[in-house]
Amino acid sequence: TEDSVRGTIETIVDEEEGTESEIFEKLINQSVEIVLTAHPTEVNRRTLLRKYRLISETLGYLERGDLHPYERSEAMITLKRTIAAIWGSDEIRRQKPTPQQEAAGGIAVIESTLWEAVPSYLRKLDAQCRVSLGKRLPMDAVPIKFASWIGGDRDGNPNVTPAVTLEVVTHQRLRAAKLLLKDMNKLYSELAISSRFTNDMD
């Protein structure tokens, strides 16, 4: 299948529906806001989200052609064990979750998927802009934003009070800080340079 980013840009240019400059201008000025909600049909339990991701990663691992038979056997055991664990779990809560639990579920979606997927997509978009449009996305470009109603939507829910909203927002800020700190520590490890190679380390 054709790559969606490249295909969209090339189709617009080829069909003369916009110039390269116009496309670039639209990209850096657009703002898509994804709003997380606590609707029962849209929230999965955190434990299940982690298991779904493990299954996806394991299936990708099994597609490698250089796996040793032992490695493949271990991966299959992990896959079967994870599927069995899901089979024995409740996909939905049997009791109505509190706003705090709903917020935790929303954070789990960010941690398990969006935290890595969105930056990966933006790097891909930036690379395609360089190839097709001859320009890079500005560092301050924010084409995708996130918002949340969880813990703050007062549409008749008596459990959502100002105190609950403050608690949820504070917890979300702490989780965001921990995710950033985790990435900073990872970056620090990757960029560790001996002072023998640069005077700036002194």
Side-chain angles (χ1 to χ4, degrees):
T1 58
E2 187 175 36
D3 179 84
S4 60
V5 176
R6 183 185 67 185
T8 300
I9 294 176
E10 292 180 350
T11 298
I12 293 174
V13 173
D14 292 343
E15 296 182 1
E16 299 182 350
E17 294 182 357
T19 65
E20 294 177 355
S21 296
E22 289 172 339
I23 295 173
F24 185 77
E25 191 68 20
K26 293 291 186 181
L27 281 174
I28 63 176
N29 288 310
Q30 78 170 7
S31 180
V32 177
E33 186 173 50
I34 300 174
V35 180
L36 301 178
T37 75
H39 192 281
T41 61
E42 299 172 8
V43 175
N44 284 300
R45 299 176 61 184
R46 284 178 293 172
T47 52
L48 288 178
L49 288 173
R50 295 191 186 100
K51 290 182 174 66
Y52 293 151
R53 175 149 192 180
L54 178 58
I55 288 175
S56 177
E57 292 174 347
T58 305
L59 289 174
Y61 180 74
L62 285 168
E63 290 182 355
R64 289 177 46 181
D66 61 342
L67 288 181
H68 186 274
Y70 173 77
E71 295 173 325
R72 183 172 297 278
S73 174
E74 287 294 294
M76 287 300 301
I77 291 173
T78 297
L79 186 63
K80 292 177 181 178
R81 183 170 58 235
T82 307
I83 293 174
I86 292 175
W87 184 260
S89 302
D90 273 339
E91 292 191 10
I92 59 174
R93 297 180 186 272
R94 297 301 173 182
Q95 296 179 338
K96 181 176 176 59
T98 65
Q100 292 89 337
Q101 290 173 325
E102 292 174 341
I107 293 173
V109 172
I110 294 175
E111 291 179 343
S112 63
T113 305
L114 298 177
W115 188 258
E116 295 179 3
V118 173
S120 177
Y121 171 78
L122 292 179
R123 287 191 292 269
K124 179 180 179 181
L125 179 61
D126 177 63
Q128 195 58 51
C129 283
R130 281 183 286 167
V131 173
S132 301
L133 307 177
K135 299 179 182 179
R136 297 196 62 169
L137 288 176
M139 290 296 294
D140 59 351
V142 188
I144 301 177
K145 297 180 179 180
F146 291 94
S148 173
W149 290 346
I150 304 175
D153 187 12
R154 293 179 176 81
D155 60 348
N157 185 348
N159 297 317
V160 180
T161 64
V164 167
T165 299
L166 178 61
E167 180 183 347
V168 168
V169 171
T170 300
H171 181 64
Q172 289 174 337
R173 289 170 66 89
L174 286 173
R175 289 304 304 160
K178 289 180 179 180
L179 288 171
L180 286 170
L181 181 60
K182 179 182 177 182
D183 282 357
M184 290 296 293
N185 287 333
K186 181 180 179 181
L187 184 62
Y188 177 81
S189 299
E190 292 176 352
L191 298 181
I193 301 174
S194 172
S195 59
R196 293 184 296 120
F197 300 104
T198 175
N199 294 328
D200 295 335
M201 301 295 291
D202 298 332

